[in-house]
Amino acid sequence: MTTDARAAIEDGRTALGIELGSTRIKAVLIGPDHAPLAAGGSDWENQFVDRRWTYSMESVWASLQAAYAELAADVQRQHGVALTTVGALGVSAMMHGYLALDADGELLTPFRTWRNTNTGPAAEQLSALLGYNIPHRWSVAHLVQAVLDGEEHVAAVAHLTTLAGYVHGRLSGEQVLGVGDASGMFPIDVATGGYDAAMIAQVEELLAGHGHELRLTELLPTVRAAGDPAGELTPDGARLLDPSGALVAGAPMCPPEGDAGTGMVATNSVAPRTGNVSAGTSIFAMVVLEQPLSRVHRELDLVTTPAGDLVAMVHCNNGASELDSWVRLFGEFAGALGVEVDSSRLFGTLLTSALRGAPDGGGLMAFNYLSGEPITELEEGRPLFLRSPDSTFTLANFMRVQLYSALATLRIGMDVLQRDEGARLERMFAHGGLFKTKGVGQALLAAAIDTPVTVGAAAAEGGAWGMATLAAFRASRTDGQDLTGYLAERVFADAALETVDPDPADVAGFEQFIERYVAALPVERAAAALG
């Protein structure tokens, strides 16, 4: 195995996937069989500056270089060879947000992430104008909000992109974007595979009414589908990614994608009636549709797969961050007692205890809102834990309710899709850190959406691997082969998967919890209003 891997690395028969997630940048190198050969990563964190969530560009490059350096060191350690070339390369990142550049490619404002909810007026106006749900975090909502707010930088905007598109542009010199990520900037016409031309005209007219003659077709990145060429790693890009100078230029690059797209790839959820849930700082579900929705729902975004097929997305701004905070607190307590517990054991012990909790959480209640949550119409969030005098306050119930809280807003959106729209779902795959502890998040998600949930080997680190797989598809697809066929025939044919069916008692318990959750939302709103 090591000899074969070394030969693949030396010959460049590999693919590199990099994903800039909310709290960690990951890099994964895969071989010809799509199995991981090495991995690296670097932690980073967003900042709340001037009441907006952002990351500094210095942090982007420092963390990206650190993740690549750790990957290269892992290649050397495991396979005894220096990493100097890759067969293909792809970059993904958090979807949506606002990166506005001037004619020289310089940022005009700090990066505004998907987490910001100040764009409500623009999102509401655009949704009414277009007859299409435009979420707060979409790039066009950020642009129009900047216009409504009279921001001076708008006059100098020459290019808009996402974080993945920005990094890809610096590495390749190409201003392109994968269709899945592009669908979080502006609505896509699935018939043409590009931006909706009629909606472009409507928004340009709206902007002109505010004194801005902006041409969105010139500002937005060129759209590319999975497998399409998207440039190659330039000498400057190679030095930017690997300042040591070991990495050579020339690797073909696939279209940059959003983390939702890589999640679909990592879970083989790109065919109609399949779906996946990704859980990290945010939590979202993607369901590939057989037909368009019957009407507009503010809880459901319409985006696409990396191949351009229509997807209903339930995106919740708040995922597992509050759960992580409680786990760290318990770790501090253990340390104060003189007991040092590693992070993996701490998470495993606490999350597993949730399985012993009462199906409804024993009457406890929690809100995981660190930021605003558009699905429940909250512009800002305040984490809360509540209980009544007669609730059953145990560790098992507490941890169950923290997990339920991370799934609650997702459930509200999924009810709209499954109950109101009647969307059929044959299987739901799950990936992300929430599902790393075996069987726990998987079982409670199955209860929350009353659907069997499957996880695979890529459940915890799937995004970067999914991006590497898209890079491999770009480099090695056969004539006429689509992404669905490639994944089914060459990637997942022998995949080991584990499926958990919903437990009827837990399904009934979650129903009780979600009723209390909705009833308690005024308490969360009151807390947010306190400032």
Side-chain angles (χ1 to χ4, degrees), residues 78-374:
Q78 288 199 64
H79 308 293
V81 61
L83 183 61
T84 61
T85 187
V86 294
L89 170 63
V91 177
S92 65
M94 300 166 282
M95 289 182 70
H96 318 116
Y98 186 68
L99 278 155
L101 310 176
D102 65 16
D104 296 322
E106 297 297 322
L107 272 179
L108 292 167
T109 73
F111 170 37
R112 298 173 182 178
T113 79
W114 55 268
R115 207 169 188 178
N116 291 289
T117 55
N118 64 297
T119 57
E124 184 176 345
Q125 188 170 344
L126 285 166
S127 297
L129 173 68
L130 303 177
Y132 196 98
N133 183 38
I134 303 297
H136 292 62
R137 64 190 179 279
W138 279 24
S139 304
V140 66
H142 282 276
L143 174 64
V144 171
Q145 190 64 51
V147 169
L148 296 179
D149 292 342
E151 295 193 42
E152 293 182 0
H153 81 269
V154 174
V157 173
H159 184 64
L160 298 174
T161 191
T162 65
L163 182 58
Y166 176 78
V167 173
H168 179 94
R170 292 290 303 276
L171 297 182
S172 69
E174 299 284 337
Q175 301 297 341
V176 301
L177 200 60
V179 63
D181 205 7
S183 68
M185 294 192 75
F186 196 91
I188 294 292
D189 181 348
V190 294
T192 66
Y195 303 112
D196 189 293
M199 293 186 188
I200 287 277
Q202 288 176 286
V203 176
E204 287 181 348
E205 185 177 350
L206 171 66
L207 295 170
H210 288 275
H212 291 280
E213 298 294 335
L214 298 174
R215 295 289 173 260
L216 292 180
T217 50
E218 298 173 3
L219 300 185
L220 294 168
T222 302
V223 180
R224 294 282 185 265
D228 287 347
E232 62 182 35
L233 184 65
T234 66
D236 286 345
R239 285 191 295 272
L240 186 58
L241 185 58
D242 180 19
S244 76
L247 181 64
V248 299
M253 296 190 69
C254 67
E257 265 299 347
D259 51 0
T262 59
M264 285 186 276
V265 171
T267 55
N268 192 21
S269 303
V270 297
R273 296 168 65 176
T274 65
N276 78 92
V277 168
S278 176
T281 302
S282 64
I283 184 169
F284 55 83
M286 310 285 289
V287 177
V288 186
L289 299 175
E290 296 178 281
Q291 58 190 22
L293 300 178
S294 65
R295 60 186 179 88
V296 176
H297 300 274
R298 64 172 182 78
E299 300 90 349
L300 303 177
D301 310 348
L302 289 176
V303 292
T304 76
T305 69
D309 296 310
L310 193 63
V311 172
M313 182 181 194
V314 179
H315 186 283
C316 311
N317 279 4
N318 298 279
S321 293
E322 178 65 1
L323 174 66
D324 291 349
S325 296
W326 281 107
V327 173
R328 287 195 299 271
L329 183 68
F330 284 118
E332 285 186 40
F333 174 68
L337 293 176
V339 180
E340 296 299 326
V341 184
D342 69 79
S343 175
S344 179
R345 184 183 177 193
L346 185 64
F347 271 89
T349 300
L350 289 170
L351 267 62
T352 300
S353 73
L355 297 180
R356 300 191 296 272
D360 73 335
L364 308 181
M365 180 52 57
F367 289 92
N368 66 332
Y369 294 171
L370 286 165
S371 64
E373 189 56 75

Side-chain angles (χ1 to χ4, degrees), residues 377-421:
E377 300 184 85
L378 281 160
E379 289 192 8
E380 292 190 8
R382 300 293 184 271
L384 291 178
F385 171 69
L386 307 91
R387 67 186 183 96
S388 61
D390 61 348
S391 59
T392 307
F393 191 22
T394 65
L395 177 65
N397 284 341
F398 179 81
M399 293 308 302
R400 177 172 282 243
V401 163
Q402 292 299 327
L403 283 160
Y404 275 0
S405 176
L407 301 170
T409 315
L410 182 79
R411 161 62 183 271
I412 292 171
M414 286 297 294
D415 276 351
V416 175
L417 180 61
Q418 293 180 290
R419 297 181 182 182
D420 296 356
E421 283 288 337

Side-chain angles (χ1 to χ4, degrees), residues 52-77:
R52 286 194 177 97
W53 293 100
T54 187
Y55 296 83
S56 71
M57 289 301 104
E58 292 80 6
S59 178
V60 168
W61 295 113
S63 300
L64 189 62
Q65 290 165 358
Y68 181 83
E70 187 173 284
L71 169 79
D74 194 37
V75 169
Q76 183 69 58
R77 181 171 55 252

